Amino acid sequence: MLGASVAYYAAKHGQAGMNEGLRQELKGRPVRVSAIYPSWIKDISPLDEAAWNAVPDHGSWATNRDIVEAALFQISRPRHVTLASIVVDPDQGGLF
């Protein structure tokens, strides 16, 4: 991600650490701890049906719809499966 600040990266690593700490602390309990790490996203209104249903071009930004779909996928896994983290990045790749 071009132009990301040191503070942004530090916050993402803190988020990852908190997620992992909670997973360890709640291990053996009927609770799943998961995180989604989106990159920069384009916010589209769910009321804008054309934008919400549009097929994105290769290399376009991820959208809030992509994040919703990742979350629904994450929580719809069988009870014995935990997706500890999902990194959502547009096709051009990158970190967090």
Side-chain angles (χ1 to χ4, degrees):
M1 179 177 347
L2 298 175
S5 70
V6 172
Y8 176 83
Y9 282 113
K12 287 296 180 186
H13 284 281
Q15 183 182 8
M18 186 175 95
N19 184 57
E20 184 57 29
L22 283 171
R23 286 185 67 237
Q24 295 302 321
E25 190 172 306
L26 298 171
K27 193 173 187 172
R29 296 192 178 132
V31 176
R32 291 189 285 189
V33 178
S34 301
I36 297 177
Y37 302 101
S39 61
W40 295 104
I41 62 170
K42 178 181 177 186
D43 189 22
I44 57 174
S45 171
L47 302 176
D48 183 353
E49 192 172 332
W52 195 256
N53 294 318
V55 176
D57 295 328
H58 176 76
S60 63
W61 282 23
T63 67
N64 50 328
R65 178 183 176 176
D66 298 316
I67 306 310
V68 168
E69 288 177 352
L72 292 173
F73 178 77
Q74 197 173 40
I75 63 174
S76 67
R77 299 306 84 208
R79 298 286 298 157
H80 69 283
V81 174
T82 297
L83 297 176
S85 65
I86 294 178
V87 177
V88 179
D89 242 341
D91 287 340
Q92 59 259 50
L95 299 173
F96 289 112

